[in-house]
Amino acid sequence: MISAPMAEPASASKMEKIVALCKRRGFIFQSSEIYGGLNGAWDYGPLGVELKRNLKDYWWKCMTQLRDDIVGFDGSILMNAAVWKASGHVDTFSDPMVECLLTKKRYRADQSEPQSGTAYYYTVQKTVQDGLTEFVGSRGDFPTAYGGSHYHFSVLVPKGKSEASANKVARQYYAQIGLPDEVALDAQTSEPVENTIKFNPENGAQLSEPKVFNLMFKTYVGPVQDDSSVTYLRPETAQAMFVQFKNVLEVARKKLPFGIAQIGKAFRNEINPRNFTFRSREFEQMEVEFFVKPGTGPEWLEKWKEDRLAWYEAIGIPRAKIHVLTVPDADRAFYSQGTYDLEYEFPFGVQELEGIAHRGDYDLKQHQEASGKPLEYFDEETKQKYLPEVVEPSAGVDRTVLALLCEAYAEETVKDEESGKEETRVVLRFAPRMAPVKAGIFPLLKNKPELVATARAVQKLLQPLMKVSYDEAGSIGKRYRRIDEEGTPFGITIDFETLEGAKEAFTSATGTPIQAGQKDTVTLRHRDSMKQERIAIADLPGYLARAII
Ligand code: GAP
């Protein structure tokens, strides 16, 4: 194959293509698909689970193996409800929600796009027909969000659209609340409005007043379902690490600064899950609670920002694609004394991958007060007891998997050497350490037992070291194309030169010379360049292990 210049897919359709590829190749499926799905929940298929595992393993390795100031931890998802009261989640972990009065769909009030146009305000006129309820209204303020009667209604139509289109929406609304068609319906008044967020952008219908909605999933522990058995599915992994701070400190025998790392599921009853897995109701987090001496939080916040940026580069997300947002005071979580959001250029916009927050001593103080148990650190040097400050890099597993998929996805026009035809090659250019499968192994022909036996032997050789695949179906070009779509960085083909000896002397992929006639070499095909070279089978484990570490 010869490659032609890369064609970058347009971003709107790029996301659709990625979603389709994820299903086609078994990265991500909709949860409960055969029952119509469950909004905000996703299943990872055979390739997706490998990708996700590689990501988590690498994070774990970087946090707990390559440094000696962080220890690992795995807390339970269900915790005593007192934890969530003390942490502030019961009282404040909420989003403002609005509801479309027509469709009843719910939206995050703080994420509405401001719109402009003409607002038409309706009331229902007195009817004259017998037996019908009388509805009389006049223009008033927006009706109360819930429980109030909605005889007032309004519709926003964009500039250039007629009153008739507003009437249509209003008519649907009044029909839905049970008013007969005969009721006279006129816009009582209208006015131009600018930058309003009081209407549903999808249909122009009036939205309810914002209502506070707690995002935690409530559940009951044990057989009795009353207030005393209520708890919540954890909305972040962090709290268990605060609550167990003292226990971990004692066994880890660490001095400050030191951290606790955890990877695990978190649950949030998001009002509006969207953008594929980006905003889900069930997701995984990779969090470190890094405990530092009082006063040193700001400098550790800077260090963690740099560490995390370098980490994203190491998994194949270039620095240039990550935007560092210094979260403004007004937007920071109330416990935070400083937060950076690391945002990635997703096809649907620049959005948060990870938050790095200086949480001060808020959490330990809250749990110390609420539990009555001391959580202070005794500083051997100064002989003082104090509550450490905490810097928390908190990354989303699912969002990072999505970023890896978006970053890796590429389409290019290539010419098939046999047919001469141009075709589109879809390739996932994962960094080898993230790739779900590291090498595809192919006997050139499936009906030549010696080729198949050697290919199986190569598979056995590599399996203990890495995830490989074996494929003997179809032409070799098709098989390469399949592993390109799966993001497998290396193809290994066992061909006649493997059995009969190299046709001529050459320098192998490792740089070592291979003599003409030397047996047991294979074709090594590189996913990104599509370059092919030969390598001795004996050199494969070392060469590939170095490439994927
Ligand atoms: N302990 C701090 C904390 O949980 P957060 O900013 O709310 O902070 C951290 O969440 C990360 O978790 C986010 O940067 C994101 O990657 C991931 N995350 C949060 N909500 C999510 C959701 N609904 N779906 C997928 N990932 C989510």
Side-chain angles (χ1 to χ4, degrees), residues 237-309:
T237 66
Q239 292 304 320
M241 294 184 271
F242 295 125
V243 171
Q244 296 286 12
F245 167 68
K246 234 8 208 303
N247 277 339
V248 176
L249 182 67
E250 271 164 28
V251 294
R253 299 192 300 124
K254 298 273 179 209
K255 291 195 176 124
L256 293 188
F258 99 100
I260 307 179
Q262 179 172 210
I263 300 177
K265 289 268 187 183
F267 303 83
R268 296 183 189 176
N269 199 1
E270 296 285 356
I271 294 167
N272 209 358
R274 60 190 165 142
N275 289 328
F276 200 21
T277 57
F278 180 83
R279 191 174 300 288
S280 305
R281 290 186 168 134
E282 175 178 341
F283 54 96
E284 268 183 286
Q285 292 184 313
M286 307 181 281
E287 297 195 297
V288 173
E289 304 308 327
F290 199 74
F291 300 93
V292 303
K293 288 187 182 177
T296 62
E299 78 195 56
W300 278 102
L301 183 65
E302 296 307 312
K303 279 193 193 150
W304 271 107
K305 180 187 74 179
E306 294 308 320
D307 268 27
R308 299 301 300 146
L309 287 168

Side-chain angles (χ1 to χ4, degrees), residues 28-260:
I28 300 172
F29 306 118
Q30 194 184 17
S31 164
S32 327
E33 191 189 78
I34 61 169
Y35 289 101
L38 176 70
N39 203 1
W42 301 94
D43 295 337
Y44 288 79
L47 287 179
V49 71
E50 297 292 341
L51 176 61
K52 193 178 185 189
R53 205 168 272 271
N54 291 342
L55 175 73
K56 291 194 287 184
D57 286 352
Y58 187 66
W59 186 90
W60 193 253
K61 181 176 165 185
C62 291
M63 296 304 150
T64 67
Q65 184 182 325
L66 298 180
R67 46 193 299 167
D68 60 6
D69 55 355
I70 300 182
V71 293
F73 179 80
D74 188 17
S76 64
I77 287 173
L78 296 176
M79 299 179 75
N80 190 314
V83 171
W84 305 112
K85 184 76 189 149
S87 65
H89 284 82
V90 171
D91 295 327
T92 60
F93 193 60
S94 50
D95 281 334
M97 176 181 76
V98 286
E99 185 178 271
C100 171
L101 297 189
L102 178 61
T103 62
K104 306 292 177 226
K105 264 173 83 176
R106 290 168 176 193
Y107 303 90
R108 282 265 300 265
D110 55 342
Q111 288 180 347
S112 299
E113 276 294 310
Q115 309 156 76
S116 303
T118 306
Y120 292 91
Y121 299 92
Y122 298 87
T123 60
V124 181
Q125 302 299 307
K126 187 174 182 182
T127 73
V128 289
Q129 284 180 274
D130 288 344
L132 293 177
T133 319
E134 279 193 352
F135 294 104
V136 187
S138 61
R139 160 122 191 246
D141 289 337
F142 283 93
T144 320
Y146 296 101
S149 25
H150 291 155
Y151 307 145
H152 304 287
F153 184 64
S154 51
V155 181
L156 181 78
V157 294
K159 281 178 191 123
K161 274 197 125 186
S162 70
E163 182 176 342
S165 61
N167 283 349
K168 196 171 154 202
V169 175
R171 181 61 74 192
Q172 286 169 356
Y173 167 73
Y174 284 115
Q176 184 185 277
I177 63 166
L179 296 189
D181 281 354
E182 298 79 14
V183 167
L185 181 67
D186 292 310
Q188 306 289 297
T189 52
S190 66
E191 64 178 354
V193 287
E194 297 287 332
N195 296 323
T196 175
I197 53 165
K198 292 186 166 182
F199 300 89
N200 182 350
E202 289 170 19
N203 59 12
Q206 182 185 331
L207 294 168
S208 69
E209 286 296 316
K211 187 187 174 200
V212 168
F213 177 76
N214 193 295
L215 298 182
M216 285 198 293
F217 280 97
K218 206 181 216 177
T219 189
Y220 297 94
V221 176
V224 181
Q225 300 203 345
D226 63 15
D227 285 353
S228 68
S229 62
V230 165
T231 193
Y232 306 89
L233 302 188
R234 68 180 178 201
E236 60 172 12
T237 66
Q239 292 304 320
M241 294 184 271
F242 295 125
V243 171
Q244 296 286 12
F245 167 68
K246 234 8 208 303
N247 277 339
V248 176
L249 182 67
E250 271 164 28
V251 294
R253 299 192 300 124
K254 298 273 179 209
K255 291 195 176 124
L256 293 188
F258 99 100
I260 307 179

Side-chain angles (χ1 to χ4, degrees), residues 412-430:
E412 33 177 78
T413 309
V414 293
K415 199 182 261 178
D416 189 285
E417 272 182 357
E418 283 162 26
S419 64
K421 278 192 197 145
E422 285 202 335
E423 50 189 44
T424 303
R425 173 173 99 120
V426 173
V427 53
L428 291 177
R429 299 178 184 276
F430 292 125

Side-chain angles (χ1 to χ4, degrees), residues 330-521:
D331 296 345
R332 278 204 310 259
F334 64 90
Y335 54 72
S336 162
Q337 299 183 17
T339 301
Y340 290 118
D341 279 353
L342 305 190
E343 301 177 323
Y344 173 70
E345 286 177 18
F346 287 99
F348 45 83
V350 177
Q351 299 273 353
E352 179 186 333
L353 266 186
E354 165 161 354
I356 308 172
H358 170 13
R359 297 177 76 123
D361 63 5
Y362 169 79
D363 304 270
L364 290 179
K365 195 186 247 168
Q366 287 296 108
H367 290 304
Q368 177 166 274
E369 273 172 28
S371 68
K373 303 280 176 349
L375 293 176
E376 286 157 323
Y377 172 82
F378 180 69
D379 191 324
E380 298 282 357
E381 282 166 28
T382 62
K383 307 289 177 214
Q384 283 178 323
K385 274 185 181 175
Y386 52 77
L387 286 175
E389 290 179 357
V390 173
V391 174
E392 176 198 63
S394 171
V397 173
D398 309 78
R399 283 191 189 176
T400 311
V401 166
L402 187 58
L404 289 175
L405 283 161
C406 294
E407 189 58 36
Y409 186 89
E411 287 173 15
E412 33 177 78
T413 309
V414 293
K415 199 182 261 178
D416 189 285
E417 272 182 357
E418 283 162 26
S419 64
K421 278 192 197 145
E422 285 202 335
E423 50 189 44
T424 303
R425 173 173 99 120
V426 173
V427 53
L428 291 177
R429 299 178 184 276
F430 292 125
R433 64 161 55 104
M434 288 295 115
V437 179
K438 309 303 182 188
I441 299 165
F442 313 119
L444 186 63
L445 299 171
K446 71 171 172 191
N447 56 3
K448 289 276 176 257
E450 304 92 315
L451 290 176
V452 170
T454 309
R456 288 292 187 192
V458 170
Q459 183 188 17
K460 280 265 168 302
L461 176 74
L462 295 177
Q463 267 173 334
L465 303 172
M466 65 195 74
K467 178 91 183 153
V468 294
S469 63
Y470 174 90
D471 188 3
E472 55 183 30
S475 73
I476 200 74
K478 289 240 160 48
R479 283 182 265 169
Y480 284 153
R481 203 51 64 73
R482 200 171 304 140
I483 63 165
D484 285 345
E485 272 206 359
E486 297 175 351
T488 303
F490 300 103
I492 297 166
T493 302
I494 289 75
D495 48 29
F496 290 107
E497 281 187 72
T498 312
L499 306 177
E500 292 159 10
K503 281 190 188 137
E504 54 196 41
F506 60 89
T507 304
S508 107
T510 58
T512 51
I514 300 275
Q515 308 306 320
Q518 186 172 326
K519 292 185 180 168
D520 294 328
T521 65

Side-chain angles (χ1 to χ4, degrees), residues 9-26:
S11 43
S13 64
K14 182 173 172 182
M15 208 51 226
E16 284 162 29
K17 289 178 177 174
I18 290 171
V19 174
L21 175 69
C22 281
K23 179 162 184 198
R24 188 168 73 243
R25 288 291 176 206

